[in-house]
Amino acid sequence: MSSDDWQRKSREMIGGCCVCLDETGWPDNKLVYCDGGGCNVAVHQACYGIISVPEGSWFCKRCESQERQVRLKCELCPSKDGALKRTDNGGWAHIVCALYIPEVKFGDNTTMEQIKITEVPYERFQKSCYICEDKGDSMNAKGKGACISCHYPSCRRSSMLHVLRALGFFVSRKLAVKGWIISVTVSIT
């Protein structure tokens, strides 16, 4: 095993896919790690729209752009980390945010590019995140990101996806991408 192969293999043990959170890669749906300096993005081919994995280095779209890190943040949530791609308004959005917010579409479903966010209603950004409110964080409760609503019939609560994921709430969505059924989840604690 070469030094490069060993480094890639050891990084596979560190963390999973930024989109589906699964730590397993498969021969036809590899777990790919960005080779950008200081970047911690790991994604499955199907979860990030990678048609074929290059033999050498691979860079996520954020690192590939070489845009200043200060300017890069998701248009749908306040988080700067994770697997981002370009939006139709020239900004950036997480693949996982794009998958969960119903009005968001992909220009090309295979490559998951360009993320079309112009149809997301303003009201989605004006909903209050009940978790931020409960924690007394009124500064971040409203207007910092697009909220998703609970699908339980009698529940009227909304929250930002990155908050739900960070706290370990269960959020699941199964999607067919490139012939794979991927399950984008956050495990419950």
Side-chain angles (χ1 to χ4, degrees), residues 104-118:
V104 177
K105 307 288 184 249
F106 294 103
D108 182 325
N109 287 330
T110 303
T111 61
M112 301 175 107
E113 295 178 28
Q114 176 181 56
I115 299 175
K116 298 181 175 273
I117 64 168
T118 54

Side-chain angles (χ1 to χ4, degrees), residues 17 19 28-32 43-51 95 99 109-112 175-182:
C17 178
V19 179
D28 56 344
N29 190 19
K30 292 179 176 60
L31 189 55
V32 183
V43 290
H44 288 107
Q45 285 179 263
C47 293
Y48 199 65
I50 302 169
I51 303 300
I95 293 291
L99 292 171
N109 287 330
T110 303
T111 61
M112 301 175 107
L175 305 156
V177 180
K178 288 176 55 182
W180 277 79
I181 301 296
I182 60 172

Side-chain angles (χ1 to χ4, degrees), residues 96-158:
V96 72
C97 288
L99 292 171
Y100 273 92
I101 297 173
E103 300 85 3
V104 177
K105 307 288 184 249
F106 294 103
D108 182 325
N109 287 330
T110 303
T111 61
M112 301 175 107
E113 295 178 28
Q114 176 181 56
I115 299 175
K116 298 181 175 273
I117 64 168
T118 54
E119 299 298 316
V120 178
Y122 177 74
E123 295 76 34
R124 193 169 285 286
F125 291 92
Q126 294 307 303
K127 291 182 178 182
S128 289
C129 175
Y130 85 92
I131 296 169
C132 293
E133 284 179 344
D134 286 353
K135 288 175 38 180
D137 189 2
S138 59
M139 292 295 289
N140 285 319
K142 193 173 187 178
K144 297 289 185 177
C147 287
I148 58 173
S149 300
C150 179
H151 290 286
Y152 191 75
S154 63
C155 185
R156 304 262 187 263
R157 291 181 163 183
S158 295

Side-chain angles (χ1 to χ4, degrees), residues 143-174:
K144 297 289 185 177
C147 287
I148 58 173
S149 300
C150 179
H151 290 286
Y152 191 75
S154 63
C155 185
R156 304 262 187 263
R157 291 181 163 183
S158 295
S159 184
M160 291 179 280
L161 180 63
H162 75 283
V163 175
L164 293 170
R165 285 177 66 119
L167 294 176
F169 280 79
F170 181 73
V171 182
S172 180
R173 183 167 183 195
K174 292 192 184 306

Side-chain angles (χ1 to χ4, degrees), residues 21-40:
L21 304 178
D22 193 325
E23 295 179 2
T24 308
W26 299 273
D28 56 344
N29 190 19
K30 292 179 176 60
L31 189 55
V32 183
Y33 291 82
C34 180
D35 291 310
C39 185
N40 61 356

